[in-house]
Amino acid sequence: MLETVGREDENPLGAKHPKGWMLATLSDVIVSVRGGYSVKCDDRPAEEGEVGVLKTGAVITGRFEVGENKFVPLSEHSLLRTPVSAGTIIICRKNSEDTVGASALIDSNHPNIFLSDLLWELRPANGVSIHWLISVLHSRSVRAQIQNQATGTQSTMKNISQDRFLATPILLPPLPEQRKIAQILRAWDEAIDTCDRLIDRLERRFSATARRFFDPCHPTFERRPNSWSEFELGDVFAERTEGGDAGDRLLSITMSGGIIDRDDVGRKDTSTDDKSSYKLILPGDIGYNTMRMWQGVCGLSMLRGIVSPAYTIVTPDNVNIAAKYAAHLFKSRRMVFDFERYSQGLTSDTWNLKFPAFSKIKVFLPPIDVQHQQAEVLDVLKGEIDVLHRKREALANQKRGLMQKLLTGQWRVKIDKEPAHG
C-alpha cells in the first residue's frame, strides 16, 4: 500500500516534492471562504428548535462539536448569514495563538446553527478530496504556517487575513492519491474514536460510582449508616511543613495528572534556584494548590520530593481516613463545594485555602475497611481509564507521524489501476 519514493524539484516547504505532485497554495484547493457574523447572544446553548451561533470551541479539538454554541434571540436572527452545512470545513480565523487555524469537517446540515465572525466556512475546489483537505489543515506544518502568519499585538487574540491564509503553501497530489491518503488516515481516526467512546463510557461509570460513594444528594445518603462518623479534617490530617533535602526532586501538582515530576509538566520551569522555602512531600501525603483547591487541584503523592510554597501538604492518619480514599474524596463534587466555601479572599483570583481553614471542614467518613474497598473500586476504574488514555495518545502519535510521511509524499500510496474495458 505504501512505498518510499525519491524527490524532484525543491519547493518552498523546504524539501523536494514527489513526482506527479504540484506545488500549490490553499487558494488552489479551496473554492470559497465565507465568514459568519457577530450577534448578541445569551450565554447558554441553543435548545432543540432554537437558533444558535457557534463558539470557537466547536472546532478546537479538530472535531465538530455542535453543542459549542450560544443561543441567539429572535431580534438578532436577521443578522445571521452562514448556517452550518454538510460538505464544508469550519476553521477558526481569530482567537488565541494556539486556536487560530483549528478546523473541523462538517458531515451534516445544522440549519439553525450559524457561524460567528471568528469562524470561516471553507468549500473544497473540484478535484479536491475534502477528507484529504482536512488532514492537510490538521497537519503540524500547515497549522504552524497559519499561526505564524496570524497578526495581533497579544498572544490571546491573533487573526489571520483571508489573503494570508489562502497563500499558505502546500503539496498537492492527484485526486486518487488524495482519496487513498484520506482513507488510510480515517482508519486511525476510527481507532481513536473507538478509544474516545470507551473512555467516555468509563469516565461516566467512574463519576456515577464516585457520586454514589461521596455525594450527599445521592439516594445512598438518604439513610447514612450508623457506622459512619463525623470529623473535622483537622482531626484526621496533619500539615507537613518541613523542608526537603538538597537532593530531593522538584515535583508539581496538576489538575489531571496528580503529583508528577516537574520536568514532566511540559512547561518552562520558572522556579528560583533557592529552594530553601520549598516543602517536603512524601509517598502517602496529599498535596494541594492553596489557590486552586476550590477547583480540585490536588493529588496523592507516590513520590518523595519538594514542592513550591504555594502548595499545602497534608498527611492522613490512616486510622480514621485512608490516603487513597481521601484522594478520591477530595475530587468529589461534595468536597470541592466545601473547599470553595471555606476558601478565603475577596475574589476568585485571591481565594486560598490554607490549613487552618481546611482543618475546620467537616466530613462524614465510613469505617476504614469500607474506605479501602471503595478506593480500590475507584482505583481499578481509574486505571482502566488511564490505560485507554495512553492507548489513545499512542494512536494519535502514530497518526501524526503517518500524516507527516503521507502528506509530504515521503511515503507514496499505491493506486490500484482500474481494469481496462475492451
Side-chain angles (χ1 to χ4, degrees):
M1 182 180 294
L2 301 175
E3 60 182 357
T4 303
V5 298
R7 304 294 184 95
E8 47 178 28
D9 302 329
E10 291 289 340
N11 70 72
L13 299 179
K16 292 182 178 180
H17 68 276
K19 184 177 181 180
W21 289 33
M22 293 175 54
L23 297 177
T25 64
L26 288 177
S27 64
D28 296 309
V29 295
I30 295 172
V31 71
S32 74
V33 180
R34 294 183 64 194
Y37 196 80
S38 177
V39 297
K40 295 178 182 178
C41 304
D42 289 358
D43 194 17
R44 67 169 178 86
E47 298 180 0
E48 187 175 356
E50 294 181 334
V51 172
V53 67
L54 287 179
K55 300 188 291 186
T56 54
V59 299
I60 196 171
T61 65
R63 299 178 187 176
F64 181 57
E65 301 288 346
V66 69
E68 287 291 315
N69 69 74
K70 291 185 176 182
F71 167 75
V72 179
L74 182 61
S75 59
E76 298 288 305
H77 287 191
S78 62
L79 300 174
L80 298 168
R81 64 188 186 197
T82 310
V84 175
S85 302
T88 65
I89 291 171
I90 293 178
I91 189 167
C92 177
R93 70 162 188 90
K94 183 177 181 180
N95 207 286
S96 67
E97 189 170 10
D98 291 340
T99 306
V100 169
S103 58
L105 178 65
I106 309 302
D107 290 324
S108 57
N109 292 320
H110 298 275
N112 286 342
I113 305 297
F114 291 77
L115 271 62
S116 73
D117 63 328
L118 302 180
L119 301 169
W120 284 331
E121 173 199 85
L122 310 179
R123 291 184 180 271
N126 290 333
V128 174
S129 162
I130 193 170
H131 294 282
W132 168 84
L133 178 57
I134 191 64
S135 295
V136 170
L137 293 173
H138 284 171
S139 66
R140 287 183 176 179
S141 61
V142 170
R143 279 297 302 275
Q145 291 178 76
I146 292 172
Q147 290 166 356
N148 289 337
Q149 289 296 315
T151 58
T153 57
Q154 296 181 349
S155 60
T156 54
M157 189 53 70
K158 294 287 188 176
N159 174 57
I160 187 165
S161 68
Q162 221 179 104
D163 289 342
R164 289 191 175 198
F165 170 72
L166 292 174
T168 303
I170 61 170
L171 291 171
L172 178 60
L175 181 57
E177 283 193 72
Q178 294 177 33
R179 289 171 174 162
K180 195 70 174 181
I181 290 169
Q183 178 186 354
I184 293 169
L185 293 176
R186 279 204 301 274
W188 260 259
D189 286 334
E190 290 169 2
I192 292 171
D193 287 343
T194 298
C195 270
D196 285 339
R197 288 193 295 271
L198 290 172
I199 289 170
D200 180 66
R201 186 184 308 164
L202 280 175
E203 286 182 338
R204 284 189 279 111
R205 182 180 173 191
F206 178 92
S207 296
T209 303
R211 284 196 302 271
R212 180 162 55 88
F213 291 161
F214 304 134
D215 191 344
C217 296
H218 194 278
T220 301
F221 284 85
E222 290 180 359
R223 294 181 182 177
R224 184 180 287 117
N226 293 330
S227 58
W228 287 45
S229 302
E230 185 178 31
F231 296 91
E232 288 187 348
L233 290 181
D235 297 330
V236 293
F237 285 96
E239 184 178 16
R240 187 184 298 281
T241 58
E242 66 262 37
D245 297 332
D248 284 330
R249 74 179 88 179
L250 180 60
L251 304 178
S252 186
I253 303 175
T254 64
M255 174 73 83
S256 57
I259 299 177
I260 59 176
D261 196 299
R262 182 61 185 78
D263 292 340
D264 295 333
V265 171
R267 295 193 304 269
K268 183 179 178 180
D269 184 1
T270 57
S271 63
T272 62
D273 292 335
D274 181 11
K275 302 291 195 298
S276 59
S277 63
Y278 278 51
K279 300 175 181 179
L280 175 69
I281 186 168
L282 297 176
D285 289 349
I286 291 178
Y288 69 83
N289 188 318
T290 307
M291 300 288 288
R292 296 181 62 200
M293 186 55 157
W294 60 276
Q295 294 176 316
V297 182
C298 60
L300 173 66
S301 183
M302 299 297 176
L303 305 168
R304 176 191 170 109
I306 54 173
V307 296
S308 163
Y311 298 127
T312 297
I313 311 303
V314 296
T315 303
D317 65 12
N318 288 311
V319 175
N320 296 299
I321 190 166
K324 289 185 177 181
Y325 177 88
H328 289 296
L329 174 66
F330 285 0
K331 294 283 190 178
S332 69
R333 181 174 59 181
R334 159 198 175 188
M335 289 304 303
V336 169
F337 173 78
D338 280 341
F339 292 146
E340 179 177 344
R341 191 160 60 95
Y342 277 77
S343 292
Q344 300 172 343
L346 296 178
T347 67
S348 60
D349 292 333
T350 61
W351 285 349
N352 65 84
L353 184 70
K354 296 181 180 178
F355 186 75
F358 169 91
S359 67
K360 297 301 181 184
I361 298 174
K362 293 182 178 181
V363 292
F364 276 95
L365 298 174
I368 195 74
D369 59 330
V370 175
Q371 294 181 38
H372 285 301
Q373 293 168 9
Q374 293 182 350
E376 183 177 356
V377 170
L378 293 173
D379 282 346
V380 169
L381 290 174
K382 184 67 165 56
E384 292 175 356
I385 293 169
D386 290 344
V387 168
L388 283 171
H389 274 295
R390 290 194 293 270
K391 180 178 179 180
R392 188 200 187 282
E393 183 60 25
L395 288 169
N397 287 334
Q398 292 170 12
K399 183 191 172 186
R400 282 192 289 268
L402 193 57
M403 287 173 67
Q404 173 64 21
K405 300 288 188 182
L406 293 177
L407 296 174
T408 60
Q410 185 176 348
W411 287 356
R412 297 289 294 274
V413 295
K414 292 184 178 180
I415 306 300
D416 296 331
K417 295 182 179 179
E418 296 184 3
H421 297 282

